[in-house]
Amino acid sequence: MNYSEEQLAILEDTSRYLQVIAAAGSGKTSTMVGLVSRILEKKLEKPERILVVTFTRKATREFQERLEKKFPNSGVKIHTFHAYCLSVLQRYHPKFKDAPAQVIDEEKQNQIWKEILKEYSFEVGGIPYEFLIGKSSQFIDSYFPGLSQKLQMRYLQIKQSNQYLDFEDLVSTYLQGLKAEEAWAKQAKKELSRIIIDEFQDTDLIQLDWIQCLDPDYLTVVGDDWQAIYGFRGATVEPFLKFSKTFLGTSIRFLSTNYRSLPAIVEKSQIPIFHNKKNIPKKVRAFRKGVAQVGLICITEEEDWIKLKNFTFSLNTEYRILCRTNFRIARLKQYGFLEDKLLTIHASKGLEFSTVLLDLTAGWTTDEEINIEEERRVLYVGLSRAKDNLFLIMKKKLPQDSLEKIFTNYFKNLKFVEY
């Protein structure tokens, strides 16, 4: 593979701590695979002592497949945070070596929470359980003082009585073992000397603590603070923003060339980020040449949705309509939009499409806990999925203080598209 100067600088960097700040569409996965390949080629590390941490199982498979082409059966560990910690618990923890851990998925977790909320139905009143599941302790206690602690205690009792572990327990159990210097954790720690972490901007504080306790000989993190959009899961962009202060002597490298989008899309997609105070400044350049179609689609009446649906049917390019929530997707399905063409912005992360239509008509959060900077990052992720064409669906009549209105105003100079 022909690497750019930025990529080569990363591949040749031998610093103990390396932070790669990668713009959307900048080829970070190729760079990471190249970095691992370079380490193996030069025999800088035994393969089994390298851990590559990915954010999703899909990303794990993609990384494994790419590395497999160059180094079949390399022995490099490639896992999500949770999958790796589960493998450690099953191989080293005395409780789980002979009796496999019962790990509950999100669906099972939600079922448990529904049952718990039923037990406290008198205190909750008529509020739907689905609304409360996933809300923070602070949010619940603001309406039901003291209830959050009761709920958490009951959830802990159910897990302990059934010997359940949820995903968060997998990391925290290993972390507790490291902090207590338990023999099994000390033994497990010795198997790694180099850790490479993808999507580090979506790391939570427990995962950061775990990394610090492991204290590998070499640590490389790759990510983009502009795409930190998982605050609702407890992730925080702070570890990425403050990485060089946490790990002194860090070498900072950039991947600032966007190979995905045409110049106008690269330019327009950055507009929301420039309104944020907390971000790492970078100059993103478009590699591709050409003229993108970027414009506004205005919805004034309900009938306009039908017109827009017919317009999408006429598109002869790969397209997706991106929405803020699943509720908005359900609404657009009622108008007759094709289900396989609808995605939430979170579900679109890591993907790209020739044409993107981004819904700015409704669905953006009105929660009291709103993090305006994260909402702008969500908007950026949606915009930056487009390769050739980008259309923003908006309404003229919106509350002035709504996010839909605020975000639409960012692009008021765009031309309206006839549909």
Side-chain angles (χ1 to χ4, degrees):
M1 178 176 175
N2 294 322
Y3 294 106
S4 68
E5 289 185 10
E6 288 182 325
Q7 290 173 316
L8 283 173
I10 293 166
L11 269 52
E12 294 170 359
D13 197 316
T14 59
S15 304
R16 181 183 182 188
Y17 302 125
L18 173 61
Q19 181 182 25
V20 178
I21 301 166
S26 61
K28 69 178 177 66
T29 303
S30 298
T31 307
M32 290 174 65
V33 173
L35 177 60
V36 175
S37 298
R38 183 66 62 92
I39 292 168
L40 295 178
E41 287 167 357
K42 293 192 173 185
K43 297 182 179 180
L44 301 176
E45 207 77 70
K46 292 181 178 179
E48 64 274 14
R49 292 180 60 76
I50 303 172
L51 171 65
V52 178
V53 179
T54 59
F55 190 67
T56 64
R57 284 175 289 185
K58 178 177 178 292
T60 296
R61 290 193 298 270
E62 181 182 357
F63 201 104
Q64 287 172 335
E65 289 168 2
R66 292 199 192 188
L67 188 62
E68 190 77 9
K69 291 177 181 178
K70 296 184 176 182
F71 296 91
N73 304 311
S74 68
V76 174
K77 296 176 175 65
I78 307 170
H79 300 285
T80 63
F81 273 109
H82 301 118
Y84 176 69
C85 288
L86 175 60
S87 75
V88 166
L89 295 181
Q90 291 177 332
R91 286 182 290 119
Y92 292 100
H93 198 293
K95 182 178 179 180
F96 303 115
K97 285 176 70 175
D98 299 321
Q102 294 191 60
V103 182
I104 56 175
D105 58 18
E106 187 174 354
E107 183 179 353
K108 178 64 176 178
Q109 202 173 353
N110 287 341
Q111 288 176 357
I112 293 172
W113 278 111
K114 283 183 182 179
E115 294 302 316
I116 294 172
L117 288 167
K118 284 181 182 178
E119 295 176 19
Y120 290 89
S121 58
F122 182 78
E123 294 183 52
V124 172
I127 297 177
Y129 301 145
E130 289 77 7
F131 177 77
L132 291 175
I133 291 174
K135 295 295 182 182
S136 70
S137 300
Q138 182 181 359
F139 177 87
I140 293 175
D141 280 340
S142 65
Y143 292 95
F144 312 101
L147 179 60
S148 177
Q149 186 175 3
K150 295 178 184 178
L151 298 178
Q152 291 293 339
M153 287 297 294
R154 184 70 183 112
Y155 179 61
L156 183 60
Q157 288 173 355
I158 292 173
K159 285 198 300 180
Q160 289 177 339
S161 62
N162 292 278
Q163 294 189 326
Y164 289 154
L165 292 177
D166 58 29
F167 288 143
E168 288 72 23
D169 293 328
L170 299 175
V171 181
S172 61
T173 301
Y174 189 4
L175 174 61
Q176 289 165 11
L178 289 169
K179 287 191 169 184
E181 297 188 341
E182 296 177 13
W184 70 268
K186 291 169 71 174
Q187 184 184 1
K189 177 179 176 180
K190 293 177 182 178
E191 75 175 25
L192 298 178
S193 57
R194 187 185 295 264
I195 301 178
I196 300 170
I197 304 175
D198 190 17
E199 303 288 2
F200 191 78
Q201 77 279 353
D202 293 317
T203 303
D204 63 39
L205 295 178
I206 292 176
Q207 292 165 344
L208 176 64
D209 202 0
W210 175 78
I211 295 162
Q212 290 177 291
C213 284
L214 283 179
D215 190 29
D217 294 338
Y218 293 92
L219 174 63
T220 298
V221 300
V222 184
D224 181 10
D225 55 297
W226 293 9
Q227 298 184 72
I229 61 172
Y230 287 96
F232 67 94
R233 290 184 181 173
T236 169
V237 72
E238 295 299 323
F240 194 77
L241 295 175
K242 299 177 180 178
F243 186 82
S244 60
K245 294 181 180 178
T246 305
F247 298 92
L248 299 179
T250 292
S251 173
I252 300 175
R253 302 285 182 178
F254 287 85
L255 289 174
S256 53
T257 301
N258 183 313
Y259 295 95
R260 172 188 300 154
S261 307
L262 290 172
I265 295 174
V266 172
E267 176 191 348
K268 299 301 181 186
S269 64
Q270 297 177 66
I271 291 175
I273 295 300
F274 294 153
H275 289 269
N276 280 356
K277 294 180 180 179
K278 291 184 177 181
N279 68 74
I280 299 173
K282 54 180 174 285
K283 295 180 180 179
V284 182
R285 304 179 299 274
F287 177 81
R288 296 174 61 205
K289 308 297 181 185
V291 178
Q293 188 175 5
V294 182
L296 295 172
I297 291 176
C298 186
I299 301 292
T300 56
E301 301 175 359
E302 288 292 295
E303 290 76 12
D304 289 338
W305 287 110
I306 307 302
K307 289 170 57 180
L308 179 56
K309 179 192 69 175
N310 295 332
F311 171 73
T312 61
F313 289 168
S314 70
L315 292 173
N316 58 6
T317 59
E318 175 196 40
Y319 78 91
R320 290 294 186 278
I321 301 174
L322 303 186
C323 304
R324 180 63 181 85
T325 64
N326 282 310
F327 179 82
R328 285 299 300 159
I329 286 180
R331 184 70 175 134
L332 293 187
K333 283 166 63 178
Q334 291 176 348
Y335 288 123
F337 288 90
L338 299 175
E339 183 175 3
D340 64 347
K341 296 296 185 181
L342 300 169
L343 275 178
T344 63
I345 295 174
H346 281 85
S348 76
K349 194 168 185 290
L351 304 177
E352 57 184 37
F353 310 99
S354 178
T355 298
V356 165
L357 296 90
L358 198 147
D359 180 21
L360 284 177
T361 63
W364 293 78
T365 184
T366 56
D367 198 308
E368 291 184 8
E369 296 179 322
I370 178 176
N371 180 336
I372 182 65
E373 296 214 349
E374 179 156 325
E375 292 300 306
R376 291 192 189 108
R377 296 195 293 267
V378 173
L379 177 56
Y380 169 74
V381 168
L383 298 169
S384 60
R385 300 308 95 193
K387 295 191 292 185
D388 307 305
N389 309 292
L390 175 62
F391 304 115
L392 304 179
I393 311 169
M394 51 83 72
K395 284 184 177 179
K396 282 190 175 180
K397 294 182 180 179
L398 289 167
Q400 289 297 321
D401 60 347
S402 69
L403 283 185
E404 289 86 355
K405 184 67 173 179
I406 293 170
F407 289 170
T408 299
N409 285 340
Y410 291 164
F411 305 97
K412 59 186 178 183
N413 293 328
L414 291 178
K415 293 181 179 180
F416 287 97
V417 175
E418 291 294 331
Y419 64 100

